[in-house]
Structures are given as structure tokens and as C-alpha cells.
Amino acid sequence: MITSVLVANRGEIALRIFRTARELGLECVAVYSTADASSPHVAEADAAVHLPGNTPSETYLRADLLIEAARKTGADAIHPGYGFLSENASFARAVIEAGLTWIGPTPESIESMGSKVESKRLMAAAGVPVLTQLSDVTADDLPVLVKASAGGGGRGMRVVRRLEDLAGELEAAEAEALSAFGDGTVFCEPYLATGRHIEVQVLADTHGTVWAVGERECSIQRRHQKVVEEAPSPLVSRLPAMRAELFEAARKAAAAIGYVGAGTVEFLADDDGRFFFLEMNTRLQVEHPVTELTTGLDLVALQLSIADGVALPPAPPATVGHAIEVRLYAEDPAHDWQPQSGVLHRFQVGDFATSERVLRPNVGTVDQISGNIPDEEGAQNASTRRKVGVRVDSGVADGGVVSVFYDPMLAKVICWAPERETAARRLSAVLARAEIHGVTTNRDLLVRILRHPAFLAGETDTAFFERHGLATLAEPLADKETEELSALAAALADAAVRRTSAKVQGRLPGGWRNLASAPQRKTYATANGTYEIAYRFARDGRLLGEHELLSCTPNEVVLAVGGVRRTFRVAAYPGLVCVDSPLGPVALTPVERFPDPTAQVAAGSLLAPMPGTVVRVAVAVGDQVKQGEPLLWLEAMKMEHTVAAPADGIVTELSAEPGRQVEVGAVLAVVQAPEESA
């Protein structure tokens, strides 16, 4: 029997596994890099082992250090979470050879699905529908999708629409795949531009029972990585006959490789219900909470039970209601999804006390679910007694640092409701009211997706962003009028701070004079523009102007705007003021009256949009380039980012070279017009 579990992972998934392990009476062991020393998952563990270094290759990808940490702490099992070594057959084999329990499928199953080329051959032989692999691409085959055989998470993927681009995209995909996975093998398959990404959760025990535990739809993606996930699938719900076919294909896939544990079989489907095998993830998925909330199962508890040799009952529980999950990333969707790093001053999303155990009685381990599986009628009756609820799975905390070394996901926010529209509406409201200070996130994009008529109608294929316009969807929730009101609130809160710290006459309104004088001024900048705020107080403390000040403290300003009371919560940090209100969140940068002239850079300078590593450089000094032409590529937060020429011109300076680590704002190159460089 397992008594102590080491989680060979970090952040949110480590905390998620700890939560279940504690409920089962198991000891929790964490590992952490130097950058993660203050991470919440370290504080939550019963014991934690430091892995010296920051990068994954130095720490979470070191199988020897992870196994030694288990020995050192007395852990008798290792759970890999997802990502890192979770689908590494060599690691699984090393864990087993060390005499520890591996909480996952056999190394042989992992190897079978580790190569997309080999896995498709196996699935075709098992009778699972697959897309044809293209050996010689012709113009008639276009568009095609280049994929990394050993990859996942969108790494090494390229869409090719013109035959003349194929060679270059193959070369780029091979380089990225080799860097990310140590295997540069890539292949081509037909590209379905408007497909649906449907996946089936499977669970299999060591006694031959294979469950298909509901399906999920994960079609809304950026860079081939999922952003919104839900269960059940809107497409499958519209075509109910499709569900049985999907489940049968998923069970065949698992049985074909003798699968044991939790896994996910992923398919690409069209609107007519035809589907094709994509890959099998031999691990727990990021989006597993939507399955938990619609079935009442604890998938981590089931993983532990299966690893202990417990048999599954003949069939899984029925699904109830609808669950939607969004991935909250520290990234800027409006600027090519650039990941963001820095201090996360405040992170408050919904009620952190709420968990899936509040939303639905959690069934838990295999022993607990035996004889307790509701039929479809009982499940539907149960749904009428459940309330809408929100779950937040996060690995960050106020004051933490979003590192450049790892994935930029801050949290998964999940909502369950009896019907899909209610879940979407509740989830969007929770996100809109969240207080996230310090880094740019995709929060506003997520809210706009959840409120979009096409999403509410279930029209959620993989071309969602292209069809409805990423620029529109990524617009801030707060409009210019809200930004200006928020800037006024920030200025008034700042005046309140000065009043409370004044040694004399602190009770007088800021800027008050016995005689009429010029207004007080404060300037703030946002991504949309600059706002110069001018305000004056009357002798009785009233704010002169079109808005009435009802109350003001350093942290809260209440204004009457056109006769409507509005409350603004204000939080000031070095170089940043965050204002939250029901009108929308606003991040303001105070503009200095006398800026430092040494901070300016030469015209045409290309600055690093984020901290990262230069992986490739395509130009040299003296080269003539066109606007939009790729000059170099940066790798940060598990993603590769293109730095392109801002205008036609000549490369006059180039400070970037492969392997160089750069900080945000570093000058990478300078592109000048021909007449300027002469």
C-alpha cells in the first residue's frame, strides 16, 4: 500500500495531487527548483527537496535527482503530474527499478504512444479511425499540418498553406522538436482548419476493466494549445450517436496497448461527427477537473487506487450537468501571446475556499464508488439539487514571482452548473471580478470568449479566433471612459495617501487653497493611451467637476457618475496602480513629470519582449529586410516567439546570438531605413 507520494512536478498540479493524497492519509513530498523556493506547493508539502538550478533540464527533468529525493524522504510512490517527465518511459522504468510505485501506465504503454507515427500505426491496426500520414506532399494535399512525432503542447507544429513554404517549415519544426523533445522527427498530415478537438477520459485497471469516463471538447486553442475546455462536448451533445462511437474507439485504443491508469485519447472531428485519432496522452490531463465535476470522481484518487491494484467496478458513473474550464495565463494575447513575467502582487479569483467537494459529493477511491454509481435517471435528478459552483486550481499566491523558466499558466478556473449557459455566465462573472495585479493576463480574452454568442451557441471549432477576430476578442473589458474614471480614482486615492501621511493639516482636502488655484494634476498611461487627470476641491471638500466624490480612502474611491454610484478599489505598487470596479479592471502606469533621458533607445531598435533565450538568428549586420520579416527567435516559458522587422530597412546592429540569455527590454537589433544608415 502506498503511504507517501512524491510529486515530480511543481505549482498547481503538485497542489492538486497533494489535496487528494492528504484526504487519503498519505504523506506529501515536494521537489523544487531554486526559482520555486517560495512556491505554495513547497510550503504545502510535509517534506520538500531542493533541486539546485532553475531550468527544467537542471531540475524537474533530472530523473536521478527525483528518485534520490524519494529515497531521501522515504516516499514509496512517485506521481509525475503532467508535463516534464510524465510521459517519459525511461523515467517510469527507473522509478519501478528503484523499487518505487509508479503512478501511471506501464513504460511499454508510454513508449507505444510516445511516437505519433508509431501510435497511429497501432491505432489503425486496432480499428481506430486515423488521418492519413502524407509521405510526399503535393499541391493537392494543401493545407497540411507539420507535427513533431515525439511532441505535444503545440511544440513543433506548423500549418503549411503554400508548397514553397513546406521545406522551411519542416526545417523550423525539426529544430523546435529537437530542442523541446530531443527528437527532431516530424511528419505531415491533412489539416482540418475548422475541426473540433474532442477527447475521451479513460481509466483502466490491472484486471482488464477499461472505462470511458465522458468526453471533453477543447477546440478553442492558441498556438495549438488549449485555452477553454468543457464537458460534455457541445458537438457530441448535438450528435448523441457520436458518443458511443467515440467511447468504443477510446476503449479500443487503451486495450490495444494494455493501458493501465488514467489517460486521454484525443480525436479531431468535423461537424458531421466523423472523427480521427490524434494522440493518446498517457497521463493526467490539465483539463481533468471538468470530468471530475461532471462525474463526481476524483481522478487522482483513482490513479492511486489503481496503482495499489484495486479493481474498478464494471462501469463508470453517469455524467451530470456541464463544466467549463479556462486556463488563466500570464500572457498578452493582443501582442502575439507574449508570455509575461514578474511579481504577481495580488491574485484573487472567486472564493478560494470553494472546491469540487463543495460542488458535488466527491466519490473518491474505487472502494468508495463500488455499489454507488447512479443510473442516468438518478444522475439527472441529482443535478436539480446541486448549486452552481466555481473551482480554482492554482499554484500561485500574492507576492509570488511569475518565472521565465516555466509555463505561464497561473490557474485553471472551472465552473459547474446544471446547464452550459449558466456555467459560462457564472464563470465569466467570476473572471471579470477577479483581482489580478502585477502581470498582464489573458483574463479579458477569456471573459469575451465565454460571453460571445458563437460560444454560447456551441460553435467552438479550432478556427474560433480566426473567425471572430483575435484583436476584437483580446480588447480590454474596460473602455476608454472606464480607464479615465479609474485614473481619476487612482489620483484621488493617491491624494488620500498624502493626506494620511501629512504631518500638518492632514484633514484638509489635497490641493485645497484659500483662494482659487490651478487644479492638481496626475498623469497615467495604459495600453490604450495617456490620461492627464486634473481635479480641484471646494472649501467643503466636494470634488469640483462633473463627478461627485462620495468617499475616498487610499484603497477605495466612491464616485457618483451621472447620478450612479460607482465604487473603485485602488491598489498602488511601485510603478503600477491597479483599479478594479464592476466597469472593468484597469492597470495604470504613473507617468513621471521628468523622465530619465538615458532610458530612451535609438529609433528602429528591436527590444526583447520578454526574458528568454535566443534560439535562432536569420540575419546579419548589413542585410536588407522587409517589414514583418522574421529576424530571430526567442524561447521563453515553453514557447518560441518570433521577433520581426518593424519596417523595411537595413540591419545596422545585431547583439543577439544563439544561446544568449536576454532580459525584457534588451536591444536585440537595430533596423534603420537606408537613408538613415548611410
Side-chain angles (χ1 to χ4, degrees):
M1 295 289 291
I2 297 170
T3 62
S4 177
V5 178
L6 180 144
V7 178
N9 220 294
R10 63 181 296 278
E12 167 266 324
I13 187 57
L15 286 168
R16 163 68 190 93
I17 296 166
F18 289 166
R19 186 171 69 233
T20 288
R22 285 205 187 286
E23 290 185 352
L24 299 177
L26 307 181
E27 184 176 299
C28 302
V29 179
V31 290
Y32 64 96
S33 66
T34 302
D36 278 339
S38 300
S39 175
H41 84 274
V42 179
E44 181 65 21
D46 296 304
V49 178
H50 178 218
L51 308 176
N54 289 318
T55 65
S57 61
E58 296 173 303
T59 55
Y60 299 106
L61 294 177
R62 287 284 303 273
D64 55 335
L65 297 182
L66 296 169
I67 292 172
E68 182 173 341
R71 288 195 177 113
K72 188 182 300 185
T73 58
D76 49 23
I78 290 183
H79 194 305
Y82 50 68
F84 293 136
L85 294 176
S86 62
E87 294 180 282
N88 186 296
S90 297
F91 179 49
R93 193 170 281 115
V95 170
I96 295 168
E97 290 174 352
L100 304 171
T101 298
W102 168 252
I103 303 172
T106 64
E108 292 74 22
S109 292
I110 297 174
E111 285 173 336
S112 296
M113 290 298 173
S115 164
K116 289 184 174 65
V117 174
E118 177 63 16
S119 65
K120 289 193 175 189
R121 186 189 65 78
L122 288 171
M123 292 302 98
V128 179
V130 299
L131 283 171
T132 303
Q133 183 177 325
L134 303 172
S135 54
D136 294 310
V137 177
T138 68
D140 293 335
D141 297 320
L142 298 175
V144 299
L145 183 64
V146 180
K147 299 178 73 171
S149 178
R155 303 297 301 274
M157 274 193 187
R158 299 287 192 282
V159 177
V160 180
R161 304 180 188 278
R162 302 190 310 163
L163 201 57
E164 56 265 36
D165 296 335
L166 180 61
E169 294 293 5
L170 283 170
E171 183 180 351
E174 288 170 354
E176 187 178 3
L178 184 62
S179 171
F181 313 115
D183 183 348
T185 305
V186 299
F187 65 96
C188 297
E189 66 182 19
Y191 176 61
L192 302 183
T194 58
R196 301 283 193 121
H197 192 120
I198 312 293
E199 58 189 35
V200 179
Q201 175 71 57
V202 295
L203 280 165
D205 62 20
T206 56
H207 306 276
T209 300
V210 180
W211 280 2
V213 195
E215 87 283 347
R216 303 184 284 253
E217 181 161 340
C218 316
S219 301
I220 298 181
Q221 303 178 6
R222 59 98 162 103
R223 293 187 168 186
H224 307 291
Q225 293 180 322
K226 302 161 190 173
V227 177
V228 181
E229 300 113 346
E230 55 184 313
S233 158
L235 173 65
V236 178
S237 296
R238 178 168 61 82
L239 303 170
M242 182 182 177
R243 182 167 286 125
E245 296 175 5
L246 274 170
F247 287 7
E248 179 62 20
R251 285 190 290 263
K252 282 182 180 179
I257 60 171
Y259 197 79
V260 172
T264 304
V265 186
E266 302 196 357
F267 301 94
L268 188 64
D270 63 21
D271 278 343
D272 295 326
R274 294 179 302 165
F275 59 87
F276 307 92
F277 173 82
L278 280 176
E279 62 182 352
M280 184 174 183
N281 289 299
T282 53
R283 54 170 169 80
L284 197 67
Q285 286 279 89
V286 177
E287 57 271 25
H288 76 274
V290 295
T291 296
E292 293 187 323
L293 294 187
T294 52
T295 62
L297 296 173
D298 183 328
L299 296 180
V300 174
L302 289 168
Q303 285 184 296
L304 293 165
S305 294
I306 291 170
D308 265 337
V310 180
L312 290 168
T319 59
V320 180
H322 202 97
I324 303 174
E325 171 182 304
V326 294
R327 302 190 190 188
L328 188 59
Y329 284 108
E331 66 183 12
D332 187 352
H335 292 85
D336 197 28
W337 309 99
Q338 289 177 5
Q340 307 290 300
S341 61
V343 178
L344 186 63
H345 298 295
R346 180 164 173 76
F347 187 79
Q348 180 67 44
V349 182
D351 178 6
F352 277 100
T354 300
S355 73
E356 73 276 17
R357 287 145 187 80
V358 177
L359 307 180
R360 180 175 184 180
N362 198 290
V363 180
T365 64
V366 174
D367 288 339
Q368 291 171 310
I369 68 173
S370 299
N372 189 31
I373 300 175
D375 57 22
E376 191 66 31
E377 181 180 355
Q380 294 304 320
N381 290 338
S383 71
T384 63
R385 298 193 297 271
R386 293 169 60 191
K387 295 182 178 180
V388 175
V390 174
R391 164 177 165 178
V392 178
D393 283 11
S394 177
V396 299
D398 292 359
V401 175
V402 180
S403 168
V404 301
F405 300 107
Y406 314 113
D407 187 276
M409 188 172 74
L410 302 178
K412 303 179 308 195
V413 188
I414 316 101
C415 185
W416 178 93
E419 34 321 284
R420 183 174 183 271
E421 186 174 345
T422 304
R425 185 170 61 249
R426 173 64 172 146
L427 183 54
S428 69
V430 168
L431 288 168
R433 293 178 178 274
E435 296 184 3
I436 308 169
H437 301 167
V439 294
T440 300
T441 73
N442 66 336
R443 181 259 304 276
D444 294 7
L445 171 78
L446 297 174
V447 172
R448 291 193 181 279
I449 291 172
L450 293 167
R451 292 175 176 174
H452 198 282
F455 178 85
L456 296 174
E459 299 168 3
T460 55
D461 62 44
T462 53
F464 190 88
F465 289 139
E466 290 81 359
R467 179 174 295 107
H468 302 292
L470 176 60
T472 300
L473 290 167
E475 287 180 353
L477 293 176
D479 57 20
K480 282 185 168 291
E481 182 180 355
T482 297
E483 288 190 344
E484 189 167 13
L485 282 170
S486 298
L488 173 60
L492 294 172
D494 182 61
V497 171
R498 294 197 301 272
R499 284 200 305 275
T500 56
S501 61
K503 297 185 190 258
V504 295
Q505 296 181 329
R507 297 178 61 185
L508 290 177
W512 182 85
R513 298 291 185 274
N514 189 41
L515 299 174
S517 62
Q520 298 294 300
R521 297 185 182 276
K522 191 80 175 177
T523 304
Y524 297 96
T526 71
N528 290 327
T530 300
Y531 301 91
E532 183 177 295
I533 303 302
Y535 64 90
R536 285 194 300 138
F537 290 103
R539 291 187 179 186
D540 59 3
R542 289 184 302 107
L543 182 67
L544 294 175
E546 57 182 314
H547 307 308
E548 181 182 357
L549 178 61
L550 301 180
S551 66
C552 181
T553 70
N555 304 115
E556 184 179 274
V557 175
V558 182
L559 296 169
V561 181
V564 179
R565 180 187 175 103
R566 299 288 188 186
T567 300
F568 300 85
R569 297 180 305 281
V570 183
Y573 309 100
L576 176 69
V577 181
C578 295
V579 183
D580 293 288
S581 76
L583 296 175
V586 176
L588 302 162
T589 302
V591 176
E592 299 295 332
R593 294 180 62 190
F594 306 105
D596 182 1
T598 63
Q600 299 180 10
V601 295
S605 296
L606 278 76
L607 308 182
M610 71 210 79
T613 303
V614 179
V615 292
R616 285 183 291 150
V617 179
V619 295
V621 173
D623 286 355
Q624 192 155 355
V625 296
K626 297 289 186 181
Q627 182 177 4
E629 180 181 340
L631 304 185
L632 56 95
W633 289 264
L634 284 178
E635 186 177 89
M637 293 180 169
K638 296 173 64 177
M639 294 172 67
E640 197 173 275
H641 306 270
T642 303
V643 178
D648 294 355
I650 296 173
V651 179
T652 58
E653 294 182 30
L654 184 64
S655 57
E657 58 185 25
R660 179 190 168 197
Q661 297 277 340
V662 297
E663 295 298 322
V664 63
V667 177
L668 303 174
V670 177
V671 176
Q672 294 182 338
E675 59 272 14
E676 295 175 348
S677 59

